[in-house]
């Protein structure tokens, strides 16, 4: 029998251990949740749950408010701390504002996750690195939006007689040395070429041109031995690749300006060659060499006066066009009104007049300092992107010292609503409802809520919510052992994540009752995942909705994703699964085990190894609930596949006995238990509350959240949309409690 | 500036630093040779200690007396021996038991991280001690903040991406950042780092392009300062309208912008330096560790070569679970089993190197009828760990070669003037021991290293940190938990 030794990866100082129990007991529910977060697949954290052989008695945690209970007459509406835009909210904001989809937040410090989400204000901070990266992003965005315009393009002209490097890169070099410079032009014989090494500052379109005389061959000249006529073929090359060629053949001496379009993929220094050749070279005096007297026998083909490389001014980016209500060159009035528009969108409210005054002063100072119109304007744009009014969802109190709760302003409410339902700033329609104040009316708020739920930007919020709630972000880091699970592949992982997200999004937006998450008799499979589940193949690479033929799958506890993230790389973890269900689905996560306990050997098949938990009274209190829940899912391996025996061939019972003696058997048993648990619906409601208000529920919050689901009618029938609507109308959402 | 002031000693400069130092003064000091660099390179999950220093017992002092006796480091000898000093017997002393948190964040701080709170504290942390927050600065950050500002960046921090799965603010019973960060500004503020090689390259070498002229660069700086100044004012205006708690958050932002402004003012412009093509996007350490290490190696060498910074810290990967597998690095499967396989579990041949690094690093006895014998089990894992150690040593060798290939003036190469502080976060990973750490110093005459030496101590790593700080001209006398004097005899 192979055993898996689980160790705590850290252990605590004995100094800290004493008295910890008491300290924990004093923590409020909110604090507790804040410091002991849901176990988002944190393998090293969960292993400590098994390491429970210490002697410190875990105190009973304060009971969660039963969802049936009536909230206090005047529940405290709680308070969300100043909300910094999360990284994804930042990206969505600059997309809405500037049409920039580059995702600048990839360079920001990562957001910290709490209560299952990455925008929870309680744990947000602003580090020095945030300052550095925000500034870089603001300057880059401002530059790409406005700064480019001061770049009016360029023309680098190289005179042909300038045949010495002048110390820089913009020098003309004569590859074939010729001192025949007459009248400021260079004479070309067959196969001669000149080249320049010059800088192409951005990827994009350029023009390369040259002025040349092609020599005269009256009447086309006499036919050559091969029947053709003498001509001059001018060719341009970029790094030895021909991108332009033109034959000149005339009856009179011709002076012409030739222009060639050139697209440069990679900015930097490139080489441009200009050459002349006679394709009917009689004497084999081609570029590869020929008889020594070629030059003497070969007439000149032409003369080059100058070569140039130019780039047009960069096209106005679309993001700028959307803000272009007038020409900045018209003067300060236009500058001010453009800034007003930009500020209106960035700050999610109309700017105060003194705010515009200050931006104008910044603009003027830059102009005085010699900056161009566009550079100066770009600085104002950067200042807006670095403003706390952009980076934070600012809410203020009428009197900073007041303590009486008050409604949010229409603009604050619009921002909160929009970031909740679209993960981005208000669109124009919502902004208009905020401007005229009508959003404060219940009916308008309801209508806007419904409109946003159906809007084009809502799906990104849904994806954000589902990847976090369903734990598929954790799946990224899950690493089932390649030895034990050779079939596990990145494709399978993707299919699992997609399945979980689609299930959640389907139930959310159909909308179906929330609690259907526990036992939906359908799921979303492609062939790869169906094969993994040993279900009939739907015949598609893409996930399709399928009805499930039996009880072996269905609901979020039957998802490969859920089962994998609640496993160690080598085996399923009953403890992780139990804790996940209690914490994530019932919002009743048990506290971590006492610190400083020696490691416990957990048996692979589960039940035996867990006996230590029940043998030790200190562990029993939590593990008598955790373990049977986890054991019921024992028919699912660490890669989410179904199993009936463990790795040693020992049959797995998948049976747990709850403290009250109830037997929970297999997936069907546990999901019924979850679905019927009163805490489940209330907990889903609480997650939505947490997400919407960006705070860890504290004080009366859990009670308010539970009441939201209950208020929508029959128990177990509330949909996510119902809860969204009730939540948005609640005082907790619409009002603000000063400190 | 007169000629005499050019000859001011570094010590004089340091006394003046931190008050008001005129810029030309610093420029003068910048011309003083040698230009010393510090590069810290941390590998995760401990080492195979017997291979490293010959001592079977992790608590015992090393038994090797010359580099050739270190199985891990011997392959470097023929090429780099004259640059290497193995320093054994140094420990980071923590209170109580240690874990990966202590090991990673204690490596350069020699301080202890407190359970469950965001603080690195000096020993002994009393339960009610709230005054120790400033403690816990790491050696690299200390050098970066105390050395005269002569380069574009005070320091660079590089390493793996912030693992999404562990971004919860609490990892087990301790704050995650202690598990994730080697570099600390103070006991509660990690320095952060660049995690994406491609982006790091773009950021670090921006402005070094020969295409941009000095006037344009200076104008750009003026513009950025103007905006930063404006934003500070903006923040202050808003702060006045907020309650205490929100105000505190905005204060953080104000400090961040103020620090940025200071940085912009003090930062010398990036020198013009030909950097070549940008590095490719290499993904992360969980993908192909070789491509990842190669990309960051290039960035580090180039940044030192271009004199964009003099202090770099590179964290190779996360310590602890699950760690990443080295299978992708195509390490040789030279195990004891058939065809070089590793007899590991249930008598089935399998390549243990496919297991995550952390799993390999623990060999507490398994039980059960079909378990391999204890010795077999331990030896297999230790052997595998030794293979991984050598993989890193090979990487180090490549880094040293790159540094030596670069001329640093006055007949020196870059490694002559660079102190590379290399080693694992722990000694014996099975015990999470931070005693007798495996440490290797590489560098040449410019950093007063003689090379081809093994030094055996029984001392605190904090004292080596003090010796390094003093070598760099920072008059440090105490450091971390128990550093009280410079470790003697390392630098000559």
């Amino acid at each position: 029998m192979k055993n898996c030794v689980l160790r705590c990866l850290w252990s605590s100082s004995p100094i800290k251990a004493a008295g910890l129990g008491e300290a924990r007991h004093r923590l409020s529910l909110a604090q507790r949740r804040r410091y002991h977060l849901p176990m988002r697949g944190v393998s090293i954290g969960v292993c400590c749950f098994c390491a429970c052989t210490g002697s410190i008695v875990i105190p009973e945690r304060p009971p969660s408010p039963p969802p049936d209970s009536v909230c206090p007459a005047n529940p405290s509406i709680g308070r969300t701390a100043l909300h910094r835009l999360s990284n994804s909210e930042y990206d969505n904001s600059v997309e809405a504002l500037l049409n920039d989809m580059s995702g600048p937040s990839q360079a920001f410090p990562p957001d910290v996750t709490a209560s299952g989400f990455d925008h929870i204000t309680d744990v947000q901070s602003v580090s020095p690195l945030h300052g550095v990266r925000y500034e870089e992003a603001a300057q880059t965005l401002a530059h790409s939006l406005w700064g480019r315009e001061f770049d009016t393009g360029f023309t680098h002209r190289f005179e042909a007689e300038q045949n010495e490097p002048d110390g820089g890169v913009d020098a003309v070099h004569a590859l074939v040395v010729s001192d025949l410079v007459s009248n400021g032009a260079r004479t070309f014989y067959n196969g001669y070429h000149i080249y320049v090494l010059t800088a192409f500052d951005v990827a994009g379109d350029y023009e390369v041109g040259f002025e040349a005389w092609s020599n005269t061959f009256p009447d086309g000249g006499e036919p050559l031995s091969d029947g053709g006529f003498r001509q001059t073929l001018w060719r341009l090359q970029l790094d030895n690749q021909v991108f332009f060629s033109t034959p000149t053949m005339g009856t009179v001496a011709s002076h012409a300006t030739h222009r060639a379009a050139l697209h440069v993929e990679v900015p930097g220094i490139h080489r441009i060659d200009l050459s002349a050749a006679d394709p009917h070279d009689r004497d084999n005096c081609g570029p590869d060499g020929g008889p020594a007297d070629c030059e003497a026998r070969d007439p000149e083909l032409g003369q080059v006066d100058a070569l140039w490389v130019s780039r047009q001014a960069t096209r106005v980016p679309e993001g700028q066009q959307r803000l272009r209500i007038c020409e900045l060159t018209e003067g300060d009035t236009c500058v001010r009104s453009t800034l007003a528009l930009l500020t209106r969108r960035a700050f999610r409210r109309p700017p105060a007049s003194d705010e515009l005054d200050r931006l104008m002063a910044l603009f003027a100072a830059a102009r005085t300092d010699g900056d161009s119109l566009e550079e100066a304007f770009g600085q104002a744009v950067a200042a807006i992107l670095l403003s706390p009014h952009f980076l934070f969802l600012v809410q203020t109190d009428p009197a900073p010292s007041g303590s009486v709760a008050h409604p949010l302003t229409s603009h604050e409410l619009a921002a909160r609503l929009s970031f909740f339902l679209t993960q981005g700033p208000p669109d124009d329609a919502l902004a208009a409802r905020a401007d005229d104040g009508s959003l404060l009316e219940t009916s308008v708020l309801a209508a806007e809520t419904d409109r946003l739920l159906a809007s084009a930007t809502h799906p990104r919020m849904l994806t954000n919510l589902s990847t976090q709630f369903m734990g598929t972000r954790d799946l990224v880091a899950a690493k089932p052992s390649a030895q034990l699970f050779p079939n596990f592949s990145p494709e399978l992982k993707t299919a699992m994540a997609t399945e979980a997200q689609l299930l959640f999004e389907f139930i959310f937006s159909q909308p179906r009752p929330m609690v259907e998450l526990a036992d939906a008799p359908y799921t979303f499979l492609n062939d790869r995942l169906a094969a993994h589940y040993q279900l009939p193949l739907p015949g598609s690479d893409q996930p399709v909705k399928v009805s499930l033929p039996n009880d072996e799958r269905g609901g979020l506890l039957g998802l490969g994703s859920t089962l994998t993230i609640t496993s160690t790389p080598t085996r399923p973890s009953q403890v992780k699964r139990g804790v996940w269900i209690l914490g994530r689905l019932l919002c009743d996560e048990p506290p971590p085990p006492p610190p400083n306990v020696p490691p416990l050997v957990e048996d692979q098949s589960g039940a035996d190894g867990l006996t230590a938990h029940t043998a030790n009274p200190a562990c029993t209190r939590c593990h008598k609930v955790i373990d049977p829940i986890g054991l019921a899912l024992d028919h699912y391996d660490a890669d989410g596949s179904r199993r009936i025996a463990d790795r040693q061939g020992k049959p797995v019972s998948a049976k747990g006995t709850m403290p009250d003696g109830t037997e929970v058997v297999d997936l069907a048993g546990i999901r019924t238990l979850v679905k019927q648990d009163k805490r489940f619906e209330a907990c889903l409601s609480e997650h939505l509350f947490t997400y919407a208000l960006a705070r860890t529920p504290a004080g009366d919050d859990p009670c308010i959240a539970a009441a939201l689901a209950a208020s929508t009618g029959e128990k177990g029938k509330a949909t996510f949309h119902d809860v969204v609507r009730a939540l948005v109308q609640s005082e907790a959402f619409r009002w603000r409690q000063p400190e | 500036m007169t000629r005499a002031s050019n000859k001011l000693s570094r010590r004089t400069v340091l006394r003046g630093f931190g008050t008001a130092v005129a810029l030309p003064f610093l420029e003068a000091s910048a011309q003083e040779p040698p230009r010393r660099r510090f590069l810290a390179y941390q590998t995760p999950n401990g080492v195979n200690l017997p291979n490293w220093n010959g001592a079977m017992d992790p608590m015992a002092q090393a038994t090797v007396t010359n580099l050739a006796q270190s199985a891990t480091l011997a392959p470097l000898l023929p090429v780099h021996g004259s640059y290497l000093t193995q320093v054994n017997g140094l420990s980071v002393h923590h209170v109580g038991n240690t874990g990966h948190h202590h090991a990673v964040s204690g490596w350069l701080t020699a301080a202890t991280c407190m359970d469950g709170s965001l603080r690195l504290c000096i020993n002994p942390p009393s339960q009610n001690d709230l005054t120790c927050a400033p403690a816990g600065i790491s050696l690299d950050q200390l050098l970066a903040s105390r050395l005269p500002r002569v380069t574009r960046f005070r320091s660079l921090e590089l390493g793996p991406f912030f693992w999404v799965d562990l971004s919860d603010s609490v990892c087990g019973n301790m704050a995650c950042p202690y598990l994730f960060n080697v570099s600390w500004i103070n006991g509660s503020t990690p320095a952060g780092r660049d995690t994406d090689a491609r982006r790091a390259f773009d950021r670090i070498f921006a402005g070094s392009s020969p295409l941009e002229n000095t006037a344009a660069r200076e104008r750009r700086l003026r513009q950025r300062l103007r905006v930063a100044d404006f934003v500070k004012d903006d923040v202050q205006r808003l702060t006045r309208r907020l309650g205490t708690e929100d105000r505190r958050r905005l204060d953080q932002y104000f400090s961040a912008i103020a620090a940025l402004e200071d940085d912009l003012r003090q930062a010398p412009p990036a020198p013009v330096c030909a950097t070549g093509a940008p590095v490719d996007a290499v993904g992360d350490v969980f993908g192909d560790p070789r491509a990842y290490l190669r990309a960051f190696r290039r960035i580090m060498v180039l940044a030192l070569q271009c004199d964009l910074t003099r202090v770099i810290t590179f964290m190779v990967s996360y310590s602890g679970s699950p760690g990443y597998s080295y299978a992708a690095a195509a390490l040789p499967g030279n195990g004891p089993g058939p065809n070089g396989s590793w007899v590991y579990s249930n008598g089935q041949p399998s390549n243990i190197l496919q297991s995550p690094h952390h799993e390999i690093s623990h060999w507490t006895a398994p039980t059960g009828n079909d378990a391999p014998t204890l010795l077999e089990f331990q030896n297999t894992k230790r052997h595998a760990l030794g293979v991984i150690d050598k993989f890193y040593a090979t990487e180090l060798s490549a880094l040293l070669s790159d540094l030596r290939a670069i001329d640093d003036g006055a007949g020196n190469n870059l490694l002559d003037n660079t102190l590379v502080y290399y080693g694992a976060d722990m000694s014996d990973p099975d015990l999470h021991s931070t005693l007798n750490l495996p440490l290797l110093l590489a560098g040449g005459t410019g950093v007063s290293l003689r090379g081809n030496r093994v030094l055996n101590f029984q001392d605190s790593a904090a004292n080596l940190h003090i010796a390094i700080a003093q070598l760099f001209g920072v008059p440090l006398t105490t450091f971390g938990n128990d550093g009280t004097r410079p470790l003697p005899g390392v630098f000559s």
Side-chain angles (χ1 to χ4, degrees), chain A residues 132-277:
Chain A
V132 171
R133 298 298 159 88
Y134 279 153
E135 196 261 354
E136 282 170 1
Q139 293 288 357
T140 305
L141 287 166
H143 183 69
S144 67
L145 189 62
W146 294 97
R148 287 267 187 82
E149 212 192 24
F150 69 74
D151 170 22
T152 49
F154 64 78
T155 298
H156 291 157
R157 186 180 167 97
F158 309 97
E159 299 297 337
E161 63 270 30
Q162 178 193 354
N163 64 353
E164 290 297 326
D166 66 0
V169 288
D170 293 341
V172 177
H173 305 271
L175 188 63
V176 177
V177 176
S178 164
D179 49 11
L180 285 176
V181 178
S182 55
N183 299 323
R186 180 181 299 281
T187 301
F188 271 60
Y189 294 94
N190 195 13
Y192 276 34
H193 54 145
I194 58 172
Y195 74 90
V196 298
L197 286 166
T198 191
F200 293 80
D201 57 350
V202 295
D205 293 320
Y206 293 78
E207 181 187 273
V208 179
F210 59 96
E211 284 173 34
W213 278 266
S214 304
N215 278 354
T216 311
F217 302 102
D219 303 324
E222 58 192 81
L224 304 175
S225 56
D226 62 0
F229 288 86
R230 175 169 292 285
Q231 56 172 279
T232 302
L233 185 67
W234 296 103
R235 286 201 301 192
L236 284 166
Q237 289 171 295
L238 171 73
D239 300 335
N240 295 324
Q241 295 287 318
V242 176
F243 66 91
F244 175 81
S245 70
T246 182
T248 56
M249 192 169 70
T251 56
V252 292
S254 57
H255 172 252
T257 300
H258 303 272
R259 298 174 194 276
L262 172 63
H263 182 77
V264 174
E265 295 281 354
V266 183
I269 295 168
H270 294 285
R271 170 175 164 156
I272 301 286
D273 280 73
L274 171 63
S275 62

Side-chain angles (χ1 to χ4, degrees), chain B residues 247-271:
Chain B
R247 189 177 291 186
R248 204 172 308 134
R249 185 153 306 184
L250 219 49
D251 284 346
Q252 286 183 335
Y253 184 51
F254 183 84
S255 309
I257 295 295
L260 170 87
E261 198 181 10
D262 284 352
D263 202 61
L264 287 176
R265 276 189 211 288
Q266 291 175 22

Side-chain angles (χ1 to χ4, degrees), chain A residues 422-562:
Chain A
T422 72
Q423 218 201 351
D427 58 14
D428 288 345
L430 180 58
R433 299 282 84 77
D435 283 350
D436 65 20
S438 60
L439 189 64
L440 298 177
E441 292 164 27
T442 308
S443 59
V444 175
L445 180 60
E448 282 301 300
T449 304
D450 286 345
R451 187 180 66 79
L452 290 180
L453 280 173
S455 76
T457 41
H458 178 59
R460 78 181 166 202
M461 167 274 185
L462 205 48
T463 305
N464 183 46
L465 178 61
S466 68
T467 52
Q468 298 190 75
F469 175 72
M470 300 297 275
T472 53
R473 286 195 189 178
D474 301 340
L475 193 60
V476 173
K479 286 229 155 196
S481 157
Q483 288 164 252
L484 301 176
F485 306 103
N487 290 330
F488 201 86
S489 64
E491 294 74 35
L492 183 61
K493 212 185 233 192
T494 306
M496 284 180 171
T498 311
E499 180 197 18
Q501 287 162 32
L502 287 177
L503 177 69
F504 181 86
E505 291 171 24
F506 181 84
I507 289 174
F508 189 105
S509 49
Q510 275 300 305
R512 302 286 308 159
M514 295 193 294
V515 296
E516 199 166 292
L517 272 176
D519 65 347
Y522 50 85
T523 191
F524 299 82
L525 303 177
N526 65 3
D527 287 349
R528 178 76 185 80
L529 188 54
H532 188 64
Y533 290 171
Q534 295 171 304
L535 290 172
L537 307 189
S540 167
D541 285 344
Q542 299 303 312
V544 290
K545 181 164 177 276
V546 296
S547 295
L548 291 165
N550 57 40
D551 278 349
E552 292 181 5
R553 299 283 166 183
L556 52 59
L557 293 176
L559 293 170
S561 167
T562 307

Side-chain angles (χ1 to χ4, degrees), chain A residues 1 3 10 12 371 386 477, chain B residues 163 173 226 234 253 367 370:
Chain A
M1 178 170 42
N3 289 304
W10 49 79
S12 317
D371 289 345
L386 282 171
Chain B
W163 187 21
N173 60 349
R226 190 151 48 226
D234 234 14
Y253 184 51
T367 55
D370 57 353

Side-chain angles (χ1 to χ4, degrees), chain A residues 1-3 5 7-16 18 34-38 40-45 79-84 102-104 106-107 110-114 121-136 139 143 199-201 268-269 347 354-355 358-359 362 365-366 369-372 375 379 382-383 386-389 391-392 394-397 400 473-474 477 479 482-483 569-570 595-596 601 647-648 736 739, chain B residues 95-102 114-116 124-127 153 162-174 179 185 189-196 199 203 210-211 219-220 222-231 233-235 237-238 240-247 249-250 252-253 256-257 259-260 264 286 320-325 344-346 350-352 354-356 358-359 362 364-371 430-432:
Chain A
M1 178 170 42
K2 175 184 174 287
N3 289 304
V5 180
R7 300 173 61 89
C8 280
L9 297 187
W10 49 79
S11 49
S12 317
S13 146
I15 296 175
K16 292 289 286 180
R34 180 163 166 180
Y35 294 116
H36 307 300
L37 301 166
R40 299 183 55 246
V42 183
S43 55
I44 50 181
R79 187 169 178 286
T80 300
L82 183 60
H83 179 153
R84 171 174 63 71
S102 63
Q106 289 171 64
D111 284 323
V112 169
T113 298
T121 56
D122 311 47
V123 296
Q124 280 183 333
S125 64
V126 187
S127 68
L129 196 64
H130 275 103
V132 171
R133 298 298 159 88
Y134 279 153
E135 196 261 354
E136 282 170 1
Q139 293 288 357
H143 183 69
F200 293 80
D201 57 350
I269 295 168
F347 295 177
D354 72 309
E355 287 176 318
R358 293 184 57 246
L359 284 168
L362 175 70
D369 195 34
D371 289 345
S372 72
E375 280 178 307
Q379 288 164 59
L386 282 171
S387 166
H389 295 282
L391 292 171
F392 296 85
V394 174
Q395 296 172 358
T396 53
D397 302 315
R473 286 195 189 178
D474 301 340
K479 286 229 155 196
Q483 288 164 252
T570 55
N596 211 29
V601 177
R647 213 148 292 286
Q648 282 72 45
R736 173 180 165 82
E739 284 174 31
Chain B
V95 181
N97 299 333
T98 52
H100 289 261
H101 292 81
H102 301 84
M114 302 281 286
D115 293 353
S126 84
Q127 249 181 316
F153 300 103
F162 290 88
W163 187 21
V164 147
D165 191 31
L166 283 177
S167 60
D168 282 272
S169 59
V170 176
C171 291
N173 60 349
M174 205 174 289
L179 192 57
I185 292 168
T189 315
R193 65 169 167 268
D194 279 296
T195 60
D196 177 311
R199 278 174 180 274
R203 181 179 84 85
L211 301 179
R219 194 162 65 152
R220 192 82 198 112
R222 278 208 310 280
Q223 294 170 352
R224 292 174 70 188
L225 285 170
R226 190 151 48 226
V227 172
D229 200 48
F230 179 92
V231 172
D233 189 29
D234 234 14
V235 176
R237 282 162 188 269
L238 176 59
R240 289 197 282 273
R241 294 164 53 199
L242 297 178
T244 330
E245 196 187 313
D246 289 351
R247 189 177 291 186
R249 185 153 306 184
L250 219 49
Q252 286 183 335
Y253 184 51
I257 295 295
L260 170 87
L264 287 176
F286 289 86
S321 186
Y324 62 100
S325 158
Y344 174 40
S345 60
N346 300 330
S350 58
N351 188 348
I352 195 178
Q354 289 183 348
S355 302
H358 178 246
E359 193 177 315
H362 284 290
T364 299
T367 55
N369 298 334
D370 57 353
D430 191 44
L431 301 175
H432 292 154

Side-chain angles (χ1 to χ4, degrees), chain A residues 665-730:
Chain A
V665 185
D666 215 341
L667 176 63
I670 188 64
R671 71 187 182 194
T672 307
L673 193 76
V674 167
K675 190 175 186 182
Q676 289 172 354
D677 195 306
K678 292 170 190 166
R679 291 172 295 181
F680 182 44
E681 191 175 58
C683 182
L684 293 171
S685 189
E686 188 178 316
H687 285 304
L688 209 56
F689 181 97
T690 305
Y691 184 87
L693 294 176
R695 70 169 184 246
T696 299
D700 294 334
D701 288 347
C703 168
I704 293 173
L708 291 174
S711 72
T712 61
E714 198 184 332
K715 183 151 284 297
K717 294 284 189 238
T719 68
F720 281 106
H721 281 188
D722 292 336
V723 176
V724 167
R725 293 189 184 103
L727 173 57
V728 162
Q729 296 289 349
S730 72

Side-chain angles (χ1 to χ4, degrees), chain B residues 315-385:
Chain B
M315 174 184 180
V316 169
S317 182
Y318 292 116
S319 192
S321 186
Y324 62 100
S325 158
Y326 287 80
L331 292 168
N334 53 349
N339 301 321
S341 67
W342 299 81
V343 180
Y344 174 40
S345 60
N346 300 330
Q348 297 297 313
S350 58
N351 188 348
I352 195 178
L353 287 172
Q354 289 183 348
S355 302
H357 191 184
H358 178 246
E359 193 177 315
I360 293 172
S361 76
H362 284 290
W363 44 72
T364 299
T367 55
N369 298 334
D370 57 353
T373 66
L374 177 60
L375 202 60
E376 182 192 350
F377 183 82
Q378 292 184 340
N379 285 346
T380 305
K381 285 200 161 185
R382 283 201 172 119
H383 189 125
L385 204 60

